[in-house]
Amino acid sequence: MTVSIRDVATRAGVSVGTVSNVLNRPKAVSDATVDRVRQAIDDLGYVRNDAARQLRAGRSTTVGLIVLDAGNPFFADVARGAEDAAAQRGLSVLLGNSDERRDREDAYLALFEEQRVRGVLLSPSSETLAAARRLRDHGIPVVLVDRTAPGSDFSSVAVDDIRGGSIAAGHLLEQGRRRIAFVGGQRSLRQVADRFAGAERAVAKVEGAHIERLPTDQLTVLAGRDAGAEIAARAPEDRPDAIFAANDLVAVGVMQALVMMGSLRVPEDIALIGYDDIAFAQSTVVPLTSIRQPAQLIGSTALDVLAALADDPTRAAETIEYEPELIVRESTGG
Ligand code: RIB
């Protein structure tokens, strides 16, 4: 049998309004009464029906966040930034992981619409934003995270990945490397396509330099390890002298294959740079050079933009783009 707020009030010998105050505005109630009500809640096992409360309040206090890969520390940091900003506004964040799959992304967008969340932060798995548009047309704002959408009618918060790719390849070229391999991901993911495009631009400016692509199905350590093993198995003259990994997880896998499983040296034989600068990039067997994204700032800024849109749906869309930052460590000779 479901325990109601009335049962708690009877058990504690107070009114339903006092129980509501203890739950929502405990500072408005004496300590003794708070203790008595909380004891009654524990004794009866009462759990507040937040969905009903939010419906009565007319506005949800929950925000949906859909990330591409919940296993990637970059998105954990984005989520942390969003949660910190949400908490300052009395909001909570529900996390969904699309695994870069459209069907899962669409399922989470539908779930968040059913929940009538206040808004959704979305790191999109594809260029198609039809489901996100439908949500917005039904009055639930959507802000794109980790992907810019200039010229589109969505607000977005991300890093300039073309510039990030150009900085990464430019750093390798400055180290004298001329045979660069871009490893990881599929071009269907805008982040990967932009990083490669930026690297191509940098390489095109240097006489005798060239870049090859080694795509992988996923942006994971295992995918990086397989790509690294393929490179290590090549004849020396066929190997690149530098690798730009599409993100740090791929770079960690590449490094395992080259250094720990192969007999190659980083950076002496092959320089290696990643992207994101996740926390454990600096503690890899050869500390990893990377392109830093301000992940927590991306998350908190996206939440702030979403909250403003929820308060005023007529706000113009805004594209917020942060600068990527080169963090040099031993894996490129730093
Ligand atoms: O999910 C793919 C990548 O895109 C992440 O590693 C992060 O770099 C994001 O921008």
Side-chain angles (χ1 to χ4, degrees), residues 68 72 74-75 146 189 191 195 219 247 275-276 293:
L68 289 168
N72 184 339
F74 166 80
F75 289 110
D146 182 43
L189 196 62
Q191 292 90 327
R195 291 167 200 172
L219 286 159
N247 73 4
Y275 205 104
D276 293 339
Q293 296 204 71

Side-chain angles (χ1 to χ4, degrees), residues 231-304:
I231 289 172
R234 291 183 188 179
E237 64 274 14
D238 295 332
R239 291 182 197 136
D241 58 10
I243 293 171
F244 171 15
N247 73 4
D248 285 349
L249 294 180
V250 170
V252 168
V254 167
M255 190 180 292
Q256 287 175 353
L258 298 184
V259 175
M260 297 162 75
M261 296 150 69
S263 55
L264 294 168
R265 299 166 303 162
V266 171
E268 294 80 357
D269 298 321
I270 299 180
L272 175 61
I273 186 169
Y275 205 104
D276 293 339
D277 197 34
I278 56 179
F280 61 79
Q282 52 199 324
S283 49
T284 45
V285 63
V286 178
L288 182 65
T289 294
S290 189
I291 301 294
R292 175 173 293 167
Q293 296 204 71
Q296 290 197 32
L297 179 61
I298 289 171
S300 60
T301 304
L303 191 288
D304 290 341

